[in-house]
Each structure stands twice: as structure tokens, then as C-alpha cells.
Amino acid sequence: RTTTTQEPTWSNNRTTTSITVEAGTKTGTATITKNDGTGTYYLHVQGQNIKDQAGNTSTPSAYGTFKLDNSAPTVTFGTNGNTTYSKSQSTKVTVADNGESSVNANSLKYQWTQSTTAPKENTFSATFASGNTITKSNGTGDNWYLWVLAKDNLGNTVITKSNAFYLDNTAPNNSVPGATATTNSVTVSF
């Protein structure tokens, strides 16, 4: 008779799996530790010529499956930046998890900044759902970046930015230029 002591589960930490093999009154345990990577791993243990008290010989074997996920979700911008000035800019944002432990939908947050330095995680407050369109309709400048925070269900985290979006929400200058009068003409200067 052989038994295993662990069911397959996802983890993003160092994973240690132990398997206990029982044959008659003999018991053995094998342990393996996996520190990195993403995917499904298998541990196989095989004993040799174990005899029970009646003299029966067997070759027990056991295996255990464990899954490891150290991959952060990936973020895709439908429109990744736009260098045409506009009063508003929009992009569809899609988040996927290649590590197969699934995206944590409650973790999806965003913010617009004019900095290429990643914001701290605790500064994100606006939420969205993967596949939604995010719009910026205020501000002016050629350096607006959409930053997205996403986690999977194990806490693997990504903070990533789009390319620059150009915004112009400043009204044109409509002041009258300075003018000076001379005898029969007006000189206009800018």
C-alpha cells in the first residue's frame, strides 16, 4: 500500500512537498523543495524490495504533484500611448495570468501620472475590470502615462505603465495683442 501526503495546490513561495510511502510496517518519507519557476512539478518515489513480516516482497512507489506560480499577471493596452493631442485619451486594458492561478479581479487598479517613475502600490485607488476602457479627460501635456496595478490570486504583483498619451485641455490664448497708433496706420505686435 502506498500513500501520498499532499494534494496539488498552487503556491508562489518556496514549495516543499513530502510523500510518505507505506508498505506493510515500513514507512519512508521523501521531501523535495522547489524555489522558483512556474508550472506543475512531479515528485516520484520508488522503494526497492520491501518485505513485510510474512516475507512478501513489493516495490512500492508513490508520487506527488505540486504547482508553483511565480509569474505576475501581464497587462495589455489596446492603444499603447497616443501622440496626437486630444481633450481625452482612452485605452482598453486587459489583464491575464500566465501562471494559471488566475487574476485577482479585486486587485485591478489604475492611475494617470506625468511621471515615468512607478507609483507606490498604496497610492492606487481607482478600480477597473479587465477588458474595460480607461479614459483620461483632463490635464494638458505630452507626458500622461496610465499606470496599472494587477495581482494574481497568490499575490504575484505587476505595476506597469503605458506609453505617453498627449492631452490638451487648455483654452487658446484669446487676449488682444498690443497695438500702437501712428498717423495713418496701426502697428500690431505679438
Side-chain angles (χ1 to χ4, degrees):
R1 178 181 97 151
T2 60
T3 60
T4 60
T5 60
Q6 182 173 346
E7 290 295 319
T9 57
W10 280 103
S11 173
N12 68 338
N13 297 318
R14 184 173 78 177
T15 298
T16 300
T17 297
S18 295
I19 295 176
T20 301
V21 179
E22 297 176 6
T25 60
K26 304 287 185 177
T27 302
T29 302
T31 303
I32 186 170
T33 301
K34 178 79 174 142
N35 293 323
D36 59 5
T38 295
T40 302
Y41 297 90
Y42 301 92
L43 171 63
H44 299 272
V45 177
Q46 186 167 351
Q48 293 189 8
N49 300 329
I50 297 176
K51 257 186 204 178
D52 65 14
Q53 291 177 340
N56 299 312
T57 303
S58 70
T59 305
S61 63
Y63 66 92
T65 304
F66 62 100
K67 297 178 179 183
L68 192 61
D69 179 358
N70 284 298
S71 297
T74 57
V75 176
T76 304
F77 299 100
T79 301
N80 193 359
N82 188 340
T83 58
T84 301
Y85 280 97
S86 180
K87 291 182 71 142
S88 68
Q89 296 282 4
S90 298
T91 185
K92 179 179 177 180
V93 179
T94 306
V95 182
D97 185 50
N98 297 329
E100 299 182 29
S101 63
S102 300
V103 172
N104 178 344
N106 294 326
S107 75
L108 302 180
K109 297 181 179 176
Y110 72 93
Q111 64 177 280
W112 291 92
T113 74
Q114 290 184 286
S115 174
T116 57
T117 302
K120 300 285 185 200
E121 184 175 330
N122 65 353
T123 65
F124 286 84
S125 59
T127 61
F128 73 101
S130 180
N132 281 5
T133 297
I134 299 174
T135 301
K136 173 81 173 154
S137 57
N138 61 350
T140 296
D142 61 2
N143 59 345
W144 284 97
Y145 301 96
L146 175 59
W147 287 91
V148 173
L149 164 70
K151 296 181 182 185
D152 66 16
N153 286 319
L154 295 174
N156 294 312
T157 303
V158 63
I159 296 175
T160 192
K161 72 173 176 57
S162 68
N163 290 330
F165 287 90
Y166 288 30
L167 287 164
D168 184 359
N169 285 290
T170 302
N173 182 354
N174 61 359
S175 61
V176 176
T180 56
T182 58
T183 27
N184 288 328
S185 65
V186 175
T187 304
V188 178
S189 59
F190 293 92

